[in-house]
Amino acid sequence: MTRVLSCIQPTGDVHLGNYLGALRNWVSGQDKADVFHGIVDLHALTVTEKSDIIGANTLQLAAMLFAVGLNPDVATVFVQSHIAEHSQLGWIMECTVSFGELSRMTQFKDKSAKREAEFVSAGLFTYPALQAADILLYDANEVPVGDDQRQHIEITRDIAIRFNHRFGDTFVIPKAVTPTSGARVMDLQNPTAKMSKSVDDDSGVIYLLDDPSKIEKKFKRAVTDSETDVVFDRERKPGVANLLEILSAATNTTPQKTAENYTRYGDLKSASAEAVIAMLAPIQKRYHDLLSDRAELMRLIHKGNERAQAVASVTLARAQKSIGFLSSK
Ligand code: TRP
């Protein structure tokens, strides 16, 4: 069976764009492939300097991944820092990638420029080496990523090919795949920009844990336009199109069909709010149930960790053997 790996950083709250655009597909994908989902807290450390944040975010994100429907009996959900092999192979990857290659990564250039007045860790620079370790440890065939991550998969392939060439065939060469496209959810206040947690004003962002009144309010204030007809036209009417996209995703139909049922923006907004509230209610309930039983949540995490480690330890040992490190045994 094809092994698929996708990872998510425990930074910030999960929003509707994450859910309808990606997480929902993770759930439907879990029965079609052997899926591994890492919560990559070591990567979050590249931009975290305060204590007690990463751990709490990791636990909450794990609860959310199970709450949206990842089945711990099927999907392998693991915490990156719990599996020491990531750090161990990460170093080997750092020695297999060049300074020049890392210097060309656009994400590093962007992120370090944005942090101009802040601490820019060496980890932010070597981040792709750790990501390569994440991927290669699991012999992943496919890594579904958006455009912003393609360069990281390319460099992972280059590293794997170089390693195999230097030390003998060791790693499966992964490929980037375009994720099954979910809904494209835009910011309700700025419907030409993707819904994102990294905005200053998040009044156009629906978080999965928002309560019904908050969701209603955000939809009520959603930006539309000065016309009045409800049609699905992303170019001309991005605000209305976004509402139609969200409502149709929440009710499993198409934006075009949904448009036929509405003549007024106000009705479209309240219907969207209602559908999203109904869609999120069972997720929120499962989330809170999971978080209120920490022992059970930790049991689920350990279960994933165990499966992940069983694979990772074999791959790391294979890499160490290929290099020809002196065996400790
Ligand atoms: N860099 C990815 C992001 O920012 C997160 C990530 C870390 C990742 N390791 C990975 C994604 C391995 C896919 C595979 O979204």
Side-chain angles (χ1 to χ4, degrees), residues 45-61:
L45 183 61
T46 59
V47 291
T48 306
E49 286 148 34
K50 294 199 186 78
S51 63
D52 294 335
I53 293 174
I54 294 183
N57 283 347
T58 299
L59 192 70
Q60 289 161 9
L61 182 55

Side-chain angles (χ1 to χ4, degrees), residues 1-246:
M1 208 190 318
T2 306
R3 169 86 44 81
V4 179
L5 174 87
S6 25
C7 296
I8 180 166
Q9 294 196 44
T11 47
D13 294 331
V14 180
H15 56 69
L16 196 62
N18 301 134
Y19 178 60
L20 293 176
L23 294 184
R24 208 159 70 152
N25 291 329
W26 289 16
V27 175
S28 56
Q30 67 186 337
D31 301 312
K32 300 180 194 126
D34 182 16
V35 297
F36 279 59
H37 295 297
I39 300 177
V40 288
D41 52 350
L42 297 174
H43 278 107
L45 183 61
T46 59
V47 291
T48 306
E49 286 148 34
K50 294 199 186 78
S51 63
D52 294 335
I53 293 174
I54 294 183
N57 283 347
T58 299
L59 192 70
Q60 289 161 9
L61 182 55
M64 187 53 87
L65 294 182
F66 295 125
V68 298
L70 284 179
N71 174 356
D73 292 328
V74 177
T76 301
V77 176
F78 65 92
V79 174
Q80 185 188 33
S81 72
H82 291 178
I83 295 162
E85 283 81 355
H86 287 261
S87 305
Q88 292 175 277
L89 188 66
W91 176 256
I92 294 174
M93 298 292 100
E94 285 184 43
C95 298
T96 315
V97 69
S98 72
F99 180 82
E101 284 169 310
L102 291 177
S103 308
R104 288 194 287 276
M105 302 307 286
T106 52
Q107 184 169 302
F108 172 71
K109 289 192 237 174
D110 290 350
K111 282 198 182 175
S112 54
K114 272 198 200 129
R115 294 177 68 80
E116 56 181 34
E118 288 168 277
F119 183 78
V120 175
S121 67
L124 198 62
F125 184 68
T126 60
Y127 180 117
L130 183 61
Q131 182 162 348
D134 299 341
I135 297 168
L136 300 180
L137 273 177
Y138 297 102
D139 293 333
N141 308 102
E142 296 182 356
V143 187
V145 285
D147 287 340
D148 64 322
Q149 290 295 317
R150 287 203 168 251
Q151 205 185 14
H152 285 160
I153 311 307
E154 265 319 300
I155 203 171
T156 298
R157 289 169 58 89
D158 293 343
I159 292 172
I161 291 167
R162 180 174 302 137
F163 186 100
N164 285 353
H165 182 73
R166 276 188 188 165
F167 299 115
D169 213 12
T170 305
F171 295 120
V172 171
I173 311 296
K175 71 169 189 280
V177 296
T178 309
T180 327
S181 76
R184 261 177 63 209
V185 178
M186 315 305 263
D187 190 300
L188 295 179
Q189 287 300 318
N190 180 14
T192 52
K194 253 171 75 174
M195 192 174 280
S196 156
K197 55 194 170 191
S198 47
V199 283
D200 297 332
D201 168 14
D202 63 359
S203 57
V205 180
I206 307 277
Y207 295 102
L208 295 202
L209 295 174
D210 277 350
D211 62 36
S213 68
K214 219 179 217 168
I215 295 175
E216 251 167 41
K217 209 180 282 168
K218 287 176 178 174
F219 273 104
K220 210 171 260 168
R221 296 193 185 145
V223 167
T224 46
D225 54 57
S226 56
E227 297 172 11
T228 54
D229 51 331
V230 176
V231 289
F232 184 67
D233 184 339
R234 277 202 172 279
E235 292 282 300
R236 218 168 47 76
K237 298 168 78 74
V240 174
N242 190 36
L243 294 172
L244 288 168
E245 177 104 26
I246 292 171

